[in-house]
């Protein structure tokens, strides 16, 4: 059973995270940023992960450090789950609509962190969160995990666009990390 616990403490944040990729979508997230908790819950629930995350950050400054550091810690947890890559599917994608919005996510859990983020939010913030932090969150996560991700979205409602992205990312990641039952590492190089 693959279960990972990661803790990260800096002068700006303390993040405690537990990830079980073969879970049932049991989620408990308390970051102090309600809209972000909603996004992480959607990510984990639709990805089929069990996720527990608590964060104490310098929210008196803004939400940047908290969201960024959760991306770092989640990326570290995913990297531990991937391990050497033995038996994982590695590649996956998802296309998820939410009302007028649609998000497409294609992933390669191949050990190389890279993000292409295509889409524009209509407002400078979503709830109390600066809209540009979401790209930074996925950059931090992908860089730490060693995931190449292409994320594209369109729509009119920022909440719908953002939630479609998180759902699509969760679904694609759940599939990419799934165990195929095949032996070996899914790479012509013999390693990720």
């Amino acid at each position: 059973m693959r279960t990972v616990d990661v803790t990260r403490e800096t002068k700006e944040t303390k993040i405690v995270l537990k990830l079980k990729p073969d879970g049932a979508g049991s989620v408990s997230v308390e970051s102090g940023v309600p809209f972000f908790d909603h996004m992480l819950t959607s990510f984990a629930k639709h990805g089929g992960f069990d996720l527990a995350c608590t964060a104490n950050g310098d929210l008196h400054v803004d939400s940047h450090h908290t969201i960024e550091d959760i991306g770092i810690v989640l990326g570290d947890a995913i990297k531990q789950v991937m391990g050497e890559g033995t038996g994982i599917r590695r590649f996956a994608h998802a296309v998820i609509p939410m009302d007028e919005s649609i998000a497409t996510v294609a992933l390669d859990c191949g050990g190389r962190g890279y993000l292409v983020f295509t889409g524009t939010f209509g407002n400078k913030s979503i709830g109390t969160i600066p809209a540009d932090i979401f790209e930074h969150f996925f950059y931090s996560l992908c860089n730490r995990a060693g995931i190449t991700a292409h994320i594209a979205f369109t729509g009119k409602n920022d909440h719908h666009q953002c939630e479609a992205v998180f759902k699509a990312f969760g679904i694609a990641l759940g599939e990419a990390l799934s165990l195929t039952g095949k032996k070996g590492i899914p790479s012509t190089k013999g390693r990720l």
Side-chain angles (χ1 to χ4, degrees):
M1 181 137 339
R2 302 180 295 170
T3 302
V4 176
D5 293 281
V6 180
T7 299
R8 173 183 166 92
E9 188 167 358
T10 71
K11 292 180 179 179
E12 299 165 340
T13 64
K14 180 177 181 184
I15 315 293
V16 178
L17 186 140
K18 182 173 190 170
L19 176 67
K20 181 178 173 186
D22 310 307
S26 174
V27 183
S28 173
V29 179
E30 296 178 22
S31 70
V33 186
F35 182 75
F36 190 65
D37 292 353
H38 176 49
M39 293 301 102
L40 286 180
T41 299
S42 292
F43 155 81
K45 184 70 173 176
H46 293 283
F49 308 119
D50 289 348
L51 175 67
C53 178
T54 57
N56 293 305
D58 56 358
L59 296 177
H60 62 282
V61 174
D62 65 17
S63 60
H64 182 100
H65 297 141
T66 300
I67 293 172
E68 174 183 43
D69 286 5
I70 290 172
I72 289 169
V73 172
L74 184 55
D76 288 346
I78 292 165
K79 187 168 187 70
Q80 287 184 41
V81 167
M82 287 168 43
E84 294 181 359
T86 305
I88 66 168
R89 184 164 309 282
R90 180 178 166 178
F91 301 101
H93 66 277
V95 180
I96 303 301
M98 185 166 184
D99 296 345
E100 86 301 335
S101 297
I102 191 163
T104 302
V105 174
L107 301 179
D108 173 9
C109 291
R112 293 161 45 153
Y114 198 87
L115 174 66
V116 176
F117 193 87
T118 307
T120 304
F121 295 114
N123 296 295
K124 291 184 179 182
S125 63
I126 306 172
T128 60
I129 304 171
D132 64 352
I133 193 63
F134 293 104
E135 180 175 1
H136 190 65
F137 165 78
F138 284 109
Y139 169 81
S140 299
L141 186 160
C142 292
N143 189 47
R144 289 301 274 243
I147 295 173
T148 294
H150 287 251
I151 299 172
F153 61 93
T154 63
K156 294 179 181 176
N157 181 287
D158 288 347
H159 183 132
H160 294 166
Q161 290 182 106
C162 196
E163 190 166 348
V165 166
F166 274 83
K167 287 177 179 177
F169 195 93
I171 291 167
L173 184 62
E175 183 69 19
L177 294 177
S178 68
L179 297 172
T180 64
K182 296 178 183 176
K183 294 183 179 181
I185 296 169
S187 172
T188 57
K189 294 178 179 67
R191 62 174 292 181
L192 296 182

